[in-house]
Amino acid sequence: MSNSKNTLKLLVAAGSLAVLAGCASNQEQMKSDIDQAQADAAEAKSMSQQAMNAAEQAQRDAQAALEATQRNRAEMDRMFERSMRK
């Protein structure tokens, strides 16, 4: 009977160790997944900032082009008016 109690105790201890090892493995995997998610989020943030910078530059370029077009049109209108007066 003593031998079977010792065997049972050893089986319980071995089972507990197996469960603890599994939990530790899961925690390591979860930490790895969290680290990867954080790295992905940082990369996405960087990419979105680059896209925002590019969009802002495109907006500035478009505004400059619009202003140049308006200046050119005004100049053409003045030239037309001058030629009509002659």
Side-chain angles (χ1 to χ4, degrees):
M1 184 101 158
S2 168
N3 195 14
S4 62
K5 282 186 179 180
N6 286 338
T7 302
L8 185 58
K9 287 180 184 179
L10 286 173
L11 285 174
V12 169
S16 297
L17 286 175
V19 168
L20 289 175
C23 289
S25 175
N26 285 343
Q27 286 178 346
E28 289 175 15
Q29 182 61 43
M30 286 177 61
K31 183 176 180 343
S32 175
D33 290 347
I34 290 169
D35 290 345
Q36 184 61 48
Q38 287 175 332
D40 291 347
E43 182 180 2
K45 183 178 179 182
S46 173
M47 290 173 67
S48 69
Q49 186 60 50
Q50 290 174 357
M52 179 62 89
N53 292 343
E56 289 171 349
Q57 182 61 47
Q59 180 67 34
R60 287 190 295 273
D61 292 347
Q63 186 63 36
L66 177 61
E67 290 169 3
T69 300
Q70 290 170 338
R71 285 191 305 272
N72 288 341
R73 182 173 181 170
E75 180 61 31
M76 289 174 67
D77 286 346
R78 285 192 294 276
M79 289 171 55
F80 179 73
E81 288 173 11
R82 277 186 240 138
S83 69
M84 293 302 286
R85 280 187 250 148
K86 290 183 180 184

